[in-house]
Amino acid sequence: MEIKICGIKKIKEINIINNFDLTYAGFIFSHSKRKISLEMGKVLIEKLRRDILPVGVFVNEDISFILKAVKICKLKVIQLHGDETTDYIEKLKNNLEIKGIKIWKVIHVKNEINIDEIKKYNMVHGILFETFKTGSYGGTGETFNWDLIKDITVNQKKILAGGINSENINSAINISKANVIDVNSGVETNLIKDKEKIKLLFKNIK
């Protein structure tokens, strides 16, 4: 099981997450209470443990901005969290100068899953399922009915996000059958990553 901790914005949070067995760390470069600048992203990622892959989170940004972020921050994964179309993603892929950069696309889940919507994103490396909420592109801290995705098989990584914490992480893993679990507010206290909550999260994973 791969774990991603998202919404990193301070060096003291880097110092905390570097102590844990996570695969990805997420940095938000679009509108969010956890948004950081590219300059801060560069500083934080330089202090990130080298085996943890930095993920840049973007919402409907200009492709030129994402390309700049990849170059400055040395991102390994681009997470598209908005309304990015297949044409947009193809253009982004064609303009990536650095090989090996992965792209994940979010699917916001309401009451059902549109399989055709997922299939059209066959050019990305990961499909991230997160709770739909009107007027929001993510970071709601709310879960959705994980049964909706348990039987969905994708050729890419299957990633689950939204409202996951130390209490429900095993249900999240077992029900969703995801390859990656993405946590954010569930391991925070007052918007800062909480070492004890992260420790409990990993302790509770069975």
Side-chain angles (χ1 to χ4, degrees), residues 182-195:
D182 186 338
V183 298
N184 190 342
S185 61
V187 291
E188 285 183 340
T189 299
N190 297 326
L191 275 180
I192 299 294
K193 297 298 179 276
D194 185 316
K195 183 176 182 179

Side-chain angles (χ1 to χ4, degrees), residues 75-133:
L75 300 174
K76 300 300 181 187
V77 181
I78 298 167
Q79 181 175 315
L80 301 174
H81 226 81
D83 306 310
E84 297 85 0
T85 64
T86 53
D87 287 344
Y88 174 102
I89 296 171
E90 290 287 6
K91 186 176 178 182
L92 172 61
K93 286 183 72 173
N94 291 336
N95 282 279
L96 281 171
E97 295 178 358
I98 304 170
K99 301 301 179 188
I101 305 294
K102 308 297 185 187
I103 300 177
W104 295 352
K105 179 71 182 81
V106 68
I107 300 292
H108 293 104
V109 182
K110 196 172 184 182
N111 298 319
E112 59 183 5
I113 298 289
N114 184 338
I115 298 295
D116 290 336
E117 183 185 8
I118 296 171
K119 286 181 179 177
K120 74 181 182 182
Y121 289 111
N122 59 3
M123 77 291 290
V124 302
H125 308 91
I127 297 291
L128 187 151
F129 297 94
E130 191 177 41
T131 312
F132 171 86
K133 188 172 184 178

Side-chain angles (χ1 to χ4, degrees), residues 161-178:
I164 301 168
N165 54 45
S166 61
E167 294 182 359
N168 63 12
I169 188 161
N170 283 312
S171 296
I173 293 169
N174 295 329
I175 296 174
S176 71
K177 313 295 185 197

